[in-house]
């Protein structure tokens, strides 16, 4: 019965995540810990590993549509994977109650980062295309790309979050990408981060493979249905939902 309940709740959660276009690892962490009583470390590892599957399908679509920069995605992603692998081991040294509070704080920060991203998008000229720093050449490009990857990867590995808003902000502010390319490239970046972070949690015994399967089945099926509603609601509702969703997850986890 527990397995059925998990799949059902994850399906409902997937409806919301598919609607707002979010990975939702923070919300998954909140539900697994508060509603089903899983230890925070197990929830972190499971949520992070689950992102690999959702990001893989999304990145293939973005790449085929020409929305992703492969070179930048690989560089930032591999740097992020290194950071996620290292920081995932650190989580075992943080007490559960403190780790829950820190994760809750990071989810609130994700909501604020999403809000900032929406502001940046609204201020950029319509139809502006990629203007990456020296188009992938020079020392500054490499420093910025590696910095974005390591920092966001460490955040993902330590707190089990996708860091999507932070990755996109880094690509837009430091590499001067347009929103279109930042969104597509971010999906590529998350693949190695989620894979390395999930492997890191498995290494220290905090990845429940059966739970991972239930979460993936529920969220991916729900996201498929939820995505169909994205174009059927006013844009303002969608923007508000994108910012509020991680904050709701943070509130549940904090309470």
């Amino acid at each position: 019965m527990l397995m059925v309940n998990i799949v059902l709740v994850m399906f409902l959660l997937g409806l919301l995540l598919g609607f707002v276009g979010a990975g939702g690892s923070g919300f998954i962490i909140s539900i697994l810990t508060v509603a089903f009583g899983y230890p925070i470390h197990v929830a972190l590892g499971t949520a992070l590993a689950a992102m690999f599957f959702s990001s893989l399908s999304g990145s293939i679509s973005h790449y085929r549509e020409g929305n992703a920069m492969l070179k930048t995605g690989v560089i930032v992603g591999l740097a992020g994977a290194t950071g996620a692998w290292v920081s995932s081991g650190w989580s075992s040294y943080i007490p559960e109650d403190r780790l829950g509070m820190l994760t809750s704080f990071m989810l609130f920060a994700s909501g604020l980062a999403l809000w900032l991203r929406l502001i940046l998008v609204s201020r950029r000229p319509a139809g502006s295309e990629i203007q990456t720093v020296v188009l992938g050449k020079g020392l500054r490009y490499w420093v910025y790309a590696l910095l974005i990857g390591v920092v966001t990867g460490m955040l993902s590995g330590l707190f089990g979050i996708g860091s999507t808003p932070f990755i996109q902000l880094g690509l837009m502010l430091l590499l001067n990408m347009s929103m279109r390319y930042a969104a597509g490239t971010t999906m590529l970046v998350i693949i190695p981060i989620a894979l390395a972070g999930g492997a890191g949690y498995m290494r220290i015994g905090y990845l429940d493979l059966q739970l991972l399967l239930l979460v993936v089945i529920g969220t991916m099926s729900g996201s498929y249905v939820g995505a169909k509603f994205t174009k059927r609601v006013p844009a303002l509702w969608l923007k508000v939902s994108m910012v509020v969703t991680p904050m709701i997850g943070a509130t549940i986890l904090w309470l």
Side-chain angles (χ1 to χ4, degrees), residues 48 76-91 94 99 106 146-163 166-167 193 197 201:
L48 186 57
V76 178
L78 291 179
T82 303
W85 172 264
V86 172
S87 64
S88 61
W90 297 348
S91 66
I94 305 176
L99 183 57
M106 288 306 303
L146 294 175
L147 180 64
I148 295 169
V150 171
V151 172
T152 57
M154 294 182 74
L155 290 176
S156 293
L158 187 57
F159 301 111
I161 62 175
S163 294
F166 303 109
I167 297 172
I193 289 179
Y201 276 95

Side-chain angles (χ1 to χ4, degrees), residues 29-30 33 40 44 94-109 158-159 161 249-255:
I29 294 168
S30 303
T33 54
I40 183 69
L44 291 177
I94 305 176
E96 284 196 13
D97 56 344
R98 186 170 298 178
L99 183 57
M101 291 296 294
L102 291 173
T103 302
S104 177
F105 172 79
M106 288 306 303
L107 290 175
F108 273 114
L158 187 57
F159 301 111
I161 62 175
T251 302
I252 294 174
L253 189 59
W254 183 73
L255 294 177

Side-chain angles (χ1 to χ4, degrees), residues 66-69 128-130 171 177-186:
N67 297 333
M69 285 194 67
S128 61
E129 292 299 320
I130 190 167
L171 294 176
M177 278 192 184
S178 68
M179 185 58 215
R180 169 191 165 192
Y181 285 98
T185 305
T186 296

Side-chain angles (χ1 to χ4, degrees), residues 13-22 222-234 237-242 245:
L13 177 58
L15 291 175
L16 173 62
L17 300 179
F19 168 64
V20 301
S223 295
Y224 178 81
V225 177
K228 297 181 179 299
F229 294 93
T230 301
K231 293 183 178 181
R232 292 175 168 81
V233 299
W237 291 15
L238 180 60
K239 291 179 181 180
V240 171
S241 298
M242 290 173 64
T245 295

Side-chain angles (χ1 to χ4, degrees), residues 27-248:
F27 220 134
I28 294 173
I29 294 168
S30 303
I31 297 299
L32 290 179
T33 54
V34 176
F36 295 105
Y38 282 95
I40 183 69
H41 293 90
V42 174
L44 291 177
T46 302
L48 186 57
M51 284 196 307
F52 169 79
F53 298 94
S54 58
S55 299
L56 181 61
S57 59
S59 63
I60 292 175
S61 176
H62 275 294
Y63 184 72
R64 287 178 174 176
E65 293 295 326
N67 297 333
M69 285 194 67
L70 182 59
K71 175 183 176 180
T72 301
V74 170
I75 295 172
V76 178
L78 291 179
T82 303
W85 172 264
V86 172
S87 64
S88 61
W90 297 348
S91 66
S92 61
Y93 299 105
I94 305 176
E96 284 196 13
D97 56 344
R98 186 170 298 178
L99 183 57
M101 291 296 294
L102 291 173
T103 302
S104 177
F105 172 79
M106 288 306 303
L107 290 175
F108 273 114
S110 296
L112 294 176
L114 277 168
W115 176 69
L116 178 59
R117 187 195 69 175
L118 292 174
I119 292 177
L120 288 175
V121 172
S122 65
R123 291 182 177 179
R124 290 199 169 188
S128 61
E129 292 299 320
I130 190 167
Q131 297 177 1
T132 308
V133 173
V134 202
L135 292 177
K137 300 178 181 179
L139 178 62
R140 188 168 62 156
Y141 167 82
W142 282 92
V143 170
Y144 285 166
L146 294 175
L147 180 64
I148 295 169
V150 171
V151 172
T152 57
M154 294 182 74
L155 290 176
S156 293
L158 187 57
F159 301 111
I161 62 175
S163 294
T164 298
F166 303 109
I167 297 172
Q168 291 183 353
L169 283 176
L171 294 176
M172 293 172 67
L173 295 177
L174 297 182
L175 297 184
N176 201 29
M177 278 192 184
S178 68
M179 185 58 215
R180 169 191 165 192
Y181 285 98
T185 305
T186 296
M187 297 296 287
L188 290 174
V189 171
I190 292 177
I191 293 176
I193 289 179
L195 185 62
Y201 276 95
M202 177 180 286
R203 173 177 53 111
I204 58 179
Y206 286 131
L207 180 60
D208 187 324
L209 294 179
Q210 183 184 57
L211 178 61
L212 173 62
L213 178 61
L214 298 176
V215 170
V216 169
I217 292 174
T219 54
M220 291 196 72
S221 57
S223 295
Y224 178 81
V225 177
K228 297 181 179 299
F229 294 93
T230 301
K231 293 183 178 181
R232 292 175 168 81
V233 299
L236 179 61
W237 291 15
L238 180 60
K239 291 179 181 180
V240 171
S241 298
M242 290 173 64
V243 174
V244 171
T245 295
M247 293 186 173
I248 294 176

